[in-house]
Amino acid sequence: MTGAIFQLLKNKILVLDGAMGTLIQSHKLKEADYRGDRFASHNKVLSGCNDVLNLTQPDIIDGIHTRYLEAGADIIETNTFNANAVSLADYKMEGHVYEINFQAAQIARKLADSYTQSNPLKPRFVAGSIGPTSRSLSISPDINKPEYRNITFDALSDAYFEQIKALVDGGVDIILIETVFDTLNAKAALYAACKVFEACGKELPVIISATITDNAGRNLSGQTLEAFLCTFEHYPLLSIGLNCAFGAKEMYPYVKELSELASFNLCIYPNAGLPDEAGKYNETPQEMAALIENYCSKNIVNIIGGCCGTTPEHIKLFAEISEKYKPRQPVALSNDLKLCGLECINIHSGINFVNIGERTNVTGSKKFSELIEKGDFKTAAEIARNQVMSGAQVIDICMDAPLLDARQAMVIFLNHIASEPDIARVPYMIDSSDWNVITDALKNIQGKPIVNSLSLKDGEAAFIEKAKLIKQFGAAVVVMCFDESGQADTFERKIQIAGRAYSLLTTKAGILPQNIIIDPNVLAICTGTNESRYYAHDFIKAVRWIRENLPHVSISGGVSNLSFAFRGKDSIRAAMHAVFLYHAIKAGMNMGIVNPAQLVLYDEIPPALREIIEDVLFNRKENADELLINYINTSEYFLKNHAVLEEWIGWAPADRLRHALIHGIDKYIVEDTLNLASALKNPVELIEKNMMEAMNTVGVLFGEGKMFLPQVVKSAKVMKTAVNALMPLINKSQGTMAMKDKIIMATVKGDVHDIGKNIVSIVLSCNNVTVIDLGVMVPAEKVVEEALKNNAMAVALSGLITPSLHEMVHVAAEMEKRKLKIPLLIGGAATSKKFTALKLYPVYSGPVIYIKD
Ligand code: THG
């Protein structure tokens, strides 16, 4: 039966039922009805406790299911949304969880079976409804105590276990984890479901359905839809979904987005419109059916149904619609490593390097360690923030220190930073040699983190067992090249262990290769031992072998380990790291634990020093170590130490501006920009000449692999700061000339890049155009609405990444649909003349113009 529904969904859109609560309300039940005979003397008010009705008014629940089955629902939901111990405690009914769920499942089971029997061609299914409870694992209920939670992962998953066990015993076909406002709560539910499946010896299909609570398309705990999806991609869900919160109309852009991303079926069951002033959902069956038909006709859904305010009349129309259209085809799961915190990063082959901030590590930073020991988590969080601001795309968090309760420190720190969106945005790497610290961490992180690390040092059995748990939590994993006989320090040992670990993880633990990160051990060089002369080169050779022989893995390492012999000499260490990374990245290393604030450019290192470092790394000269130490002791580069990195401060303003842009340093950028602009009649010249020249250099360096993406992003951020500082001057230089025409500008949905667009916007402003800049991640519907509302003379779209092209086609089609005739201007790195001509021109009948620069 359970495989049947997967099969059925390949060819058919299935219909889920409508609201339970709305129909219960229509019975206008009184307190005495809720209580029935059974709970007549219960010591707490029961009105509103819909779940208890399974025991006290089973006929009413039976009747509601019957109406939905009659209407044509393929799947009916048990009346158990709040039937867990946490929620039922509000009514002092927590002692009846098992009974309520079992009974609810039985009521639905019997009806579904009898309908299936009477028409075997239309099998009916029962989904056990699991609500989110009113508590959140990711959000503190007390703003003064960001690390505080009113429930733990274990307590919540225990409560879910009890509920799910009863539902399974009662005979449900599907586990439906719905109205997810906090992804960590849903993780606890899925974790419990897996435990139940293990206990019962059978696995049921699972659906997880999120509810979006803001217009940015995020859930309450701040995750984007893409991150929400990424969190569950390790599990073979029957379907991912969206329910509640919005009506079918408002849900459109989010359904579209999920439909383009999800490798699962997609289930939607919106409310009957938005609530009116009385909180009632009034969209009629016909109105809502038209919107649902729009989804079906576009083939972007697999399961349709209704949430708040929907009735059997709605479902009847949905059932008719579902017969007319083919279901959506799920997207193939990619081979890219995807990670997420509140936001998702997709480490595809176009990204040459991901940097992981090393400073939130008690053994790697004295400052961090002191703060954690003092219990000053707030200031410790600033170190995390600094890492992210300096370009870390992941942060490595380590609390392993002899005098610290690492488990406790890890959980407090994680909960603390969970309420800092500019930190929690990025995925975490949990760095510990204590397995308990890792499992505690996994229970306190929403999104998809990296476990750092597993190794074969305790043998295969322990390795596989831990790997399976990591898989269950959906994390990626770093494998250190250690085995039963210790650390791999030669090329041969590194690749032997890497290959062995890869094959065990993929064949015995079911981990996908893209979720494996191999760390071939960066070891300290120049330590005086003969072995250390080979460490760097063997690492780089191992990287190349792994890249060529272990498909789809990532390769990482603790880069700062390399230069331990030069502790305290930060500028020389930074130079060594830069040269090392330049070669390791070329060989295929795509991630590294680094201090992102201290990355320097390969090209900026004095050639003589670069050559000496390369002699050391590749063991090219007998006395290479000596030469390096000599250089350090005598050269200006070292003598100046930090000063060398700040030498540019004495340069002429235009050179300073250029340096700051290329290096992504925002410290003096406003001051320098304003200074230079004040000498110009037309401040725009500063952008057109100096700034664009610097940004072109960044582009060239990036193209040559001499800058990593995070560095480019840092440069772009500084560019933006500079442009913002110029804005008031530019506005002033235009005087009070009246603005004549309006242009709508937007970076399309799914894309956040807007530096280029902002520059274009300034240039246009200087030419007497009123620019209405809608910002980034703008849905097509919004672009068109604003264009109509403002009677715009043109729409200009920008996009930097490839998926944006697809979105632009969508905008063009939307403009055509709404009968716009104004020019559509297209720009941004991902776009081209060819794309504009072949993909956009045919879709839109107004002028379509590609803007190169
Ligand atoms: N592989 C994996 N994980 C790792 C490592 C690795 N985690 C830890 C470590 N190695 C990577 N992290 C660091 C962090 C800091 C330093 C080195 C490696 C470092 N810190 C300065 C020092 O000790 O001199 C601290 C200076 C200060 O106190 O500010 O060098 O290889 N998977």
Side-chain angles (χ1 to χ4, degrees):
M1 195 62 174
T2 60
I5 190 159
F6 276 95
Q7 207 51 41
L8 208 57
L9 274 166
K10 289 198 177 139
N11 302 311
K12 188 175 162 4
I13 296 176
L14 292 187
V15 179
L16 183 69
D17 64 7
M20 172 63 70
T22 309
L23 295 203
I24 290 178
Q25 268 167 35
S26 71
H27 285 267
K28 303 218 168 3
L29 299 176
K30 303 262 167 23
E31 175 68 20
D33 303 320
Y34 276 92
R35 290 173 174 257
D37 294 340
R38 171 87 191 270
F39 297 105
S41 55
H42 189 65
N43 60 0
K44 195 105 197 218
V45 171
L46 289 181
S47 281
C49 181
N50 287 346
D51 309 82
V52 80
L53 297 174
N54 294 303
L55 304 181
T56 57
Q57 303 292 342
D59 292 345
I60 290 181
I61 304 308
D62 192 294
I64 294 171
H65 286 320
T66 305
R67 288 181 62 195
Y68 281 122
L69 289 163
E70 273 303 308
D74 298 293
I75 307 168
I76 54 171
E77 274 193 58
T78 56
N79 175 36
T80 54
F81 187 75
N82 284 310
N84 59 75
V86 176
S87 303
L88 285 180
D90 293 342
Y91 298 99
K92 284 226 161 60
M93 288 301 287
E94 68 276 18
H96 302 278
V97 169
Y98 189 90
E99 197 185 355
I100 290 174
N101 283 284
F102 184 82
Q103 190 60 31
Q106 286 274 293
I107 297 171
R109 174 80 276 147
K110 285 184 186 138
L111 284 169
D113 285 348
S114 91
Y115 273 79
T116 303
Q117 224 157 41
S118 62
N119 181 6
L121 292 178
K122 186 175 170 74
R124 313 293 183 114
F125 301 89
V126 176
S129 161
I130 319 275
T133 80
S134 58
R135 308 208 187 180
S136 166
L137 287 173
S138 301
I139 305 169
S140 167
D142 179 351
I143 50 162
N144 297 314
K145 288 192 240 152
E147 73 289 351
Y148 173 68
R149 298 291 181 271
N150 57 14
I151 189 158
T152 63
F153 184 95
D154 286 336
L156 185 59
S157 78
D158 286 351
Y160 279 135
F161 181 90
E162 184 186 20
Q163 179 182 19
I164 296 170
K165 177 76 170 54
L167 287 169
V168 174
D169 290 348
V172 301
D173 303 300
I174 299 165
I175 299 299
L176 173 53
I177 299 164
E178 59 180 343
T179 324
V180 173
F181 67 81
D182 179 335
T183 313
L184 193 50
N185 286 32
K187 271 197 199 180
L190 182 60
Y191 183 74
C194 292
K195 277 191 160 170
V196 172
F197 299 158
E198 219 176 284
C200 299
K202 66 170 169 186
E203 239 172 75
L204 297 191
V206 178
I207 301 177
I208 301 183
S209 176
T211 189
I212 298 169
T213 45
D214 65 21
N215 283 325
R218 295 189 183 231
N219 65 8
L220 193 72
S221 50
Q223 263 195 327
T224 63
L225 273 181
E226 193 181 6
F228 167 75
L229 177 66
C230 165
T231 306
F232 296 110
E233 253 174 1
H234 63 285
Y235 191 87
L237 293 179
L238 174 66
S239 175
I240 197 95
L242 284 176
N243 73 293
C244 211
F246 289 141
K249 182 158 183 267
E250 294 74 20
M251 209 183 251
Y252 185 80
Y254 310 114
V255 176
K256 187 103 194 334
E257 179 179 352
L258 265 187
S259 106
E260 282 162 14
L261 295 171
S263 57
F264 308 118
N265 290 305
L266 177 53
C267 169
I268 61 154
Y269 50 121
N271 293 342
L274 296 173
D276 64 13
E277 62 289 350
K280 280 226 168 67
Y281 300 88
N282 296 321
E283 210 160 68
T284 64
Q286 289 72 22
E287 286 165 345
M288 191 169 171
L291 297 166
I292 295 288
E293 180 154 16
N294 181 39
Y295 290 102
C296 296
S297 68
K298 293 198 160 91
N299 309 109
I300 57 175
V301 289
N302 303 87
I303 304 174
I304 55 175
C307 204
C308 308
T310 57
T311 64
E313 290 70 42
H314 291 82
I315 298 305
K316 184 162 187 291
L317 297 182
F318 297 178
E320 287 166 18
I321 291 165
S322 75
E323 299 289 340
K324 299 204 307 205
Y325 300 96
K326 287 252 159 249
R328 158 184 172 274
Q329 292 306 310
V331 174
L333 188 66
S334 86
N335 291 322
D336 301 335
L337 169 57
K338 285 187 208 158
L339 300 168
C340 67
L342 296 183
E343 291 165 20
C344 191
I345 63 171
N346 186 343
I347 303 167
H348 52 80
S349 54
I351 291 184
N352 62 356
F353 190 69
V354 169
N355 68 36
I356 302 164
E358 68 175 21
R359 293 281 124 175
T360 38
N361 178 341
V362 291
T363 54
S365 159
K366 195 147 172 268
K367 193 164 148 209
F368 187 71
S369 146
E370 282 167 2
L371 291 168
I372 297 295
E373 261 165 39
K374 272 198 298 196
D376 185 355
F377 287 89
K378 189 160 185 278
T379 315
E382 289 312 306
I383 295 187
R385 192 193 314 279
N386 268 329
Q387 295 280 280
V388 177
M389 294 302 162
S390 310
Q393 294 149 291
V394 176
I395 51 174
D396 181 73
I397 304 173
C398 175
M399 297 292 178
D400 289 356
L403 295 175
L404 213 57
D405 179 342
R407 295 180 69 170
Q408 196 193 1
M410 180 61 86
V411 170
I412 296 177
F413 187 69
L414 288 172
N415 285 338
H416 205 102
I417 56 180
S419 39
E420 298 286 341
D422 35 336
I423 303 171
R425 185 164 79 65
V426 304
Y428 305 143
M429 176 180 256
I430 303 307
D431 190 341
S432 178
S433 47
D434 178 345
W435 184 244
N436 289 321
V437 172
I438 289 178
T439 52
D440 283 354
L442 290 173
K443 292 174 179 177
N444 284 280
I445 296 174
Q446 74 167 329
K448 177 178 175 185
I450 304 169
V451 168
N452 182 13
S453 57
L454 277 192
S455 88
L456 280 158
K457 70 177 188 304
D458 299 320
E460 290 188 1
F463 179 75
I464 292 165
E465 191 194 332
K466 288 174 179 172
K468 282 184 174 163
L469 196 73
I470 291 172
K471 179 186 152 73
Q472 197 179 341
F473 276 97
V477 60
V478 174
V479 179
M480 296 289 296
C481 290
F482 281 67
D483 66 7
E484 295 85 340
S485 53
Q487 175 169 262
D489 52 0
T490 62
F491 168 71
E492 288 74 20
R493 293 243 317 130
K494 288 176 202 283
I495 66 167
Q496 189 265 331
I497 296 173
R500 181 176 166 214
Y502 181 90
S503 113
L504 287 170
L505 289 177
T506 53
T507 62
K508 299 266 168 67
I511 293 194
L512 293 173
Q514 56 267 42
N515 288 327
I516 302 172
I517 301 161
I518 307 274
D519 183 330
N521 303 334
V522 177
L523 302 173
I525 57 172
C526 302
T527 58
T529 68
N530 190 49
E531 291 84 63
S532 79
R533 301 166 64 94
Y534 301 90
Y535 286 163
H537 195 193
D538 276 8
F539 179 92
I540 291 168
K541 283 198 294 184
V543 167
R544 188 169 295 115
W545 184 91
I546 293 165
R547 183 53 70 226
E548 283 164 6
N549 291 280
L550 307 178
H552 311 308
V553 298
S554 283
I555 306 171
S556 177
V559 176
S560 300
N561 304 351
L562 183 81
S563 59
F564 270 141
F566 301 94
R567 280 199 147 145
K569 298 166 186 173
D570 284 355
S571 57
I572 206 77
R573 289 187 74 176
M576 289 169 71
H577 302 161
V579 179
F580 176 74
L581 275 176
Y582 176 74
H583 293 287
I585 290 170
K586 272 210 293 197
M589 182 178 183
N590 64 336
M591 310 176 99
I593 307 173
V594 297
N595 182 358
Q598 243 179 33
L599 290 178
V600 297
L601 297 182
Y602 179 78
D603 256 13
E604 302 280 319
I605 300 163
L609 175 59
R610 214 162 64 196
E611 178 147 351
I612 295 175
I613 293 174
E614 277 164 357
D615 287 342
V616 173
L617 295 181
F618 297 112
N619 195 17
R620 286 195 303 216
K621 284 191 186 133
E622 197 53 42
N623 59 344
D625 287 20
E626 240 170 81
L627 288 175
L628 180 58
I629 292 160
N630 247 351
Y631 183 93
I632 293 167
N633 288 338
T634 56
S635 80
E636 252 174 276
Y637 187 71
F638 174 64
L639 290 176
K640 281 192 191 163
N641 196 1
H642 259 312
V644 72
L645 297 173
E646 300 253 298
E647 180 194 354
W648 61 284
I649 290 162
W651 298 352
D655 296 332
R656 267 169 56 140
L657 181 81
R658 183 172 187 278
H659 183 87
L661 284 170
I662 294 174
H663 292 259
I665 306 166
D666 62 4
K667 208 162 162 189
Y668 310 99
I669 192 73
V670 172
E671 173 186 334
D672 284 349
T673 304
L674 294 178
N675 242 334
L676 287 162
S678 65
L680 296 171
K681 206 161 91 213
N682 184 0
V684 177
E685 270 177 38
L686 194 62
I687 298 177
E688 286 174 349
K689 295 213 178 95
N690 309 50
M691 295 188 185
M692 287 316 291
E693 191 278 325
M695 292 315 274
N696 283 339
T697 307
V698 170
V700 170
L701 288 172
F702 180 62
E704 292 171 351
K706 289 171 179 166
M707 277 178 90
F708 328 129
L709 199 62
Q711 295 172 316
V712 176
V713 172
K714 266 174 80 179
S715 290
K717 272 193 198 148
V718 174
M719 175 78 179
K720 199 170 163 181
T721 310
V723 171
N724 282 345
L726 272 184
M727 276 302 278
L729 297 181
I730 293 173
N731 289 339
K732 204 160 38 181
S733 77
Q734 284 168 185
T736 54
M737 266 191 291
M739 297 287 196
K740 276 193 309 226
D741 292 296
K742 294 178 182 167
I743 287 190
I744 303 291
M745 294 197 83
T747 298
V748 295
K749 196 164 142 256
D751 200 335
V752 294
H753 302 88
D754 63 348
I755 309 291
K757 186 198 70 184
N758 293 342
I759 296 167
V760 174
S761 152
I762 289 165
V763 175
L764 286 171
S765 310
C766 301
N767 288 280
N768 257 4
V769 176
T770 302
V771 174
I772 300 173
D773 188 342
L774 303 178
V776 299
M777 303 268 267
V778 187
E781 292 73 19
K782 169 124 181 143
V783 173
V784 176
E785 256 152 45
E786 291 290 328
L788 288 166
K789 196 170 88 196
N790 291 292
N791 196 15
M793 74 168 199
V795 166
L797 299 178
S798 171
L800 184 128
I801 53 177
T802 316
S804 299
L805 299 183
H806 193 71
E807 185 59 25
M808 285 176 178
V809 177
H810 179 49
V811 179
E814 201 65 26
M815 289 173 70
E816 181 68 16
K817 204 169 91 196
R818 306 283 293 269
K819 306 208 161 39
L820 282 169
K821 292 282 176 247
I822 56 177
L824 171 59
L825 315 182
I826 296 295
T831 61
S832 64
K833 198 163 158 181
K834 200 164 162 190
F835 158 74
T836 310
L838 295 179
K839 294 286 178 342
L840 293 177
Y841 179 76
V843 177
Y844 180 58
S845 52
V848 185
I849 301 154
Y850 172 62
I851 315 273
K852 188 160 173 294
D853 290 312

